[in-house]
Structures are given as C-alpha cells and as structure tokens.
C-alpha cells in the first residue's frame, strides 16, 4: 500500500506510514481488525450520526486507491471507475463505484457527469455523489463544477463547489445549507514527476490549516499507462462526519478534474480505432 501524505495533521502529529505507528486509527470505540480486511463497525456511535458514517467518526486520515481496470489499461476504452477507501491500517472502510453509461464515459471523458456510489462492507450505499455536466474554466464563473454529497442517499450532507480562480484550483466544502465550512487550495501546476501533489485544506478564513488532500505518486508504470490514482486525505478527528463525507467527495472531483485524463490512453485508443 502506498504511503500517506508526508504532511502533518492539524493536531501537529505526523501522518502514519505503513509499518509505522498508528495515529488515532482506527479510533476509540472501534474493534481492531486484521490489516487488509474490513474495518470493524465502531461500538461508540456519535449522537445524530447518519447511518453508515459512524466509520468516519473514528478516523482522521484515509487512503483512496483507484483500481486499475485491465480493459481500460490495454485498450484505452473508458470504464466505470472503482476505488477502495482505506484507513491507515490498510483496512477497507468503504469502496466506491462509478455509475455512468458507456456513451457518457467515452464521449465526455473526464468532464463527464457522474454518479458515484460509496458502499460499506455489506454492499449498502451509504454515500451518494452526483456531478452534473458543467464547466471548469475561469471564463465561465457562473457554471463551475459542483458535486452534491448525500449521506444517506436522498439526504444532502453537503456540496463541493469549485471557486473561481485564475490559475490555482480552489474548492469550497459547504454544508447542506450552502454555508462554507472548509476551503481547499491547490497548486498552480498539477504535475510533479516522482512526487506528490498537495491540496491544502483550510477553515473558511483561509488562514487556519485543517488538513490536506494529496495526490500520491503511484509509480512510473501506473502513472504513464493508466489514469488510476492514489489519494491521501487528512482532517481533524473531531470534524463533523457530514463535513468529512463532503471532503471525501472532493477527492473524487479533484481526480476527475485534474488527473483522470491520460495522454497514453488517448494514444492507445487512436491506435485501436476507438477514435
């Protein structure tokens, strides 16, 4: 498993590395589970916690690993994205599956509207993400990207909204009422050969550091020939679970906006006759 972001958490403690000490994972009230298996359901569930989000109450960092699809890797034919969401012990917390039709995936590419189902170990959908077809250019500030996060499905937990910026990526994490809870600031260049790309998370005042979303270097072969990416995310342990779920949704939007395109894949499609 790839390492977590080489950053410090909001509490001043270093992010846990595989094989190293565990920082606040899997959390008080959770039953330990073997590495590589599913995280056990917490025994102490916070009051008013939406069903399925009790796992998020026990963690302050997650790793999102996109699965490599053999058909997509060899032909460039875009398939539905699939992800594993792990804690620092390598235990699965959730898994995510994109639900988009074939025509939309291959005609709209990374700009496509999508529905993302985030499921628990019983294959029950606990979080639903929906992204409409919108612009991402600074020339169209009235129609920027937005993802609606529902937890449980049918009840809005929050929104991920792209904020206008000339060069650097900017996102707002909003609650169900549209109030800004967190802000995400990214680098001007979303390319770092053999290195990580970091998006810092701040309080609404844009001064108080809260956490970080990191697109991790996945290895030369995976980076060159696939668009499967790994992300690490850190946030305060006591952050509201609805905000955590919305921040998790921001990872998928960042992936589609900045890292889903793959020039090698386009070359393969051209040679295979798909384009």
């Amino acid at each position: 498993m790839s390492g977590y972001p080489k950053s410090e958490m909001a509490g001043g403690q270093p992010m846990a590395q595989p094989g190293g000490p565990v920082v606040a994972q899997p959390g008080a009230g959770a039953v330990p589970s073997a590495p590589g298996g599913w995280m056990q359901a917490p025994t102490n569930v916070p009051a008013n916690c939406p069903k399925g989000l009790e796992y998020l109450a026990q963690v302050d960092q997650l790793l999102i690993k996109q699965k490599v699809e053999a058909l997509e890797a060899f032909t460039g034919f875009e398939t539905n994205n699939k992800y594993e969401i792990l804690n620092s012990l390598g235990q699965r917390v959730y898994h995510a599956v994109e639900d988009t039709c074939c025509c939309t995936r291959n005609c709209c590419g990374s700009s496509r509207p999508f529905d993302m189902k985030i499921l628990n170990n019983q294959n029950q959908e606990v979080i639903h993400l929906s992204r409409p077809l919108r612009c991402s250019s600074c020339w169209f500030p009235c129609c920027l990207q937005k993802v609606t996060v529902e937890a449980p499905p049918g009840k809005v937990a929050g929104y991920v909204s792209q904020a206008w910026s000339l060069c650097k990526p900017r996102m707002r994490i909003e609650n169900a009422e549209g109030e800004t809870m967190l802000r995400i600031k990214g680098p001007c260049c979303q390319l770092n050969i053999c290195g990580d790309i970091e998006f810092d998370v701040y309080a609404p005042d844009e001064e108080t550091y809260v956490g970080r979303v990191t697109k991790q270097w996945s290895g030369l072969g995976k980076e060159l020939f696939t668009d499967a990416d790994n992300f690490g995310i850190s946030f305060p342990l006591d952050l509201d679970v609805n905000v955590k779920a919305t921040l998790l949704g921001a990872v998928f939007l960042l992936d589609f906006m900045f890292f889903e395109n793959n020039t090698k894949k386009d070359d393969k499609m051209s040679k295979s006759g798909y384009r």
Side-chain angles (χ1 to χ4, degrees):
M1 186 178 67
S2 300
Y4 282 83
K6 306 175 184 65
S7 62
E8 291 192 351
M9 292 164 43
Q13 295 176 305
M15 296 290 287
Q17 299 292 330
V22 178
V23 182
Q25 298 275 350
V31 180
S33 179
W38 282 92
M39 177 180 172
Q40 295 296 319
T43 56
N44 297 329
V45 180
N48 302 319
C49 179
K51 183 176 175 59
L53 299 192
E54 59 271 13
Y55 297 92
L56 294 182
Q58 309 298 324
V59 299
D60 53 17
Q61 51 186 282
L62 293 168
L63 176 66
I64 298 92
K65 297 180 66 175
Q66 184 176 352
K67 294 183 178 181
V68 177
E69 298 292 334
L71 176 65
E72 185 172 334
F74 285 102
T75 68
F77 188 82
E78 187 70 45
T79 58
N80 278 320
N81 288 354
K82 298 178 182 178
Y83 304 82
E84 286 187 336
I85 302 169
L86 315 172
N87 64 16
S88 65
L89 296 178
Q91 299 164 350
R92 288 188 291 275
V93 182
Y94 303 115
H95 64 103
V97 181
E98 180 188 357
D99 183 14
T100 308
C101 73
C102 176
C103 181
T104 300
R105 292 195 309 270
N106 289 280
C107 292
C108 299
S110 61
S111 299
R112 64 186 180 268
F114 67 75
D115 287 283
M116 189 77 66
K117 298 179 179 179
I118 299 180
L119 310 123
N120 62 12
N121 60 349
Q122 298 176 333
N123 218 36
Q124 297 173 333
E125 186 178 7
V126 295
I127 304 174
H128 186 91
L129 312 177
S130 55
R131 176 205 193 188
L133 183 63
R134 297 171 70 100
C135 299
S136 59
S137 170
C138 63
W139 300 109
F140 299 95
C142 61
C143 195
L144 296 176
Q145 293 293 311
K146 188 169 187 175
V147 166
T148 301
V149 181
E150 300 174 11
K155 181 180 179 181
V156 174
Y159 304 93
V160 185
S161 299
Q162 181 187 5
W164 186 90
S165 177
L166 189 61
C167 297
K168 296 182 179 181
R170 294 286 188 271
M171 299 283 175
R172 294 190 307 272
I173 303 299
E174 302 171 346
N175 62 14
E177 289 71 40
E179 301 169 333
T180 300
M181 307 301 292
L182 298 172
R183 294 183 183 272
I184 300 176
K185 297 181 181 180
C188 184
C189 179
Q190 292 83 49
L191 178 65
N192 187 3
I193 303 300
C194 299
D196 296 340
I197 302 169
E198 298 176 337
F199 297 79
D200 291 329
V201 182
Y202 292 91
D205 60 10
E206 299 191 43
E207 298 293 334
T208 306
Y209 176 80
V210 173
R212 181 166 290 168
V213 176
T214 303
K215 191 275 182 184
Q216 300 172 337
W217 175 255
S218 304
L220 187 61
K222 192 173 180 181
E223 293 284 347
L224 284 178
F225 298 108
T226 76
D227 56 10
D229 301 306
N230 293 344
F231 289 85
I233 180 173
S234 67
F235 38 70
L237 183 62
D238 59 354
L239 188 67
D240 182 85
V241 290
N242 289 292
V243 179
K244 288 183 181 182
T246 308
L247 192 55
L248 177 61
V251 174
F252 295 98
L253 180 58
L254 290 171
D255 183 28
F256 274 81
M257 287 183 64
F258 302 111
F259 307 109
E260 180 71 7
N261 281 325
N262 189 287
T263 55
K264 294 292 182 180
K265 183 180 73 172
D266 291 340
D267 291 342
K268 289 180 182 178
M269 291 186 73
S270 297
K271 293 176 182 178
S272 302
Y274 287 101
R275 291 185 180 177

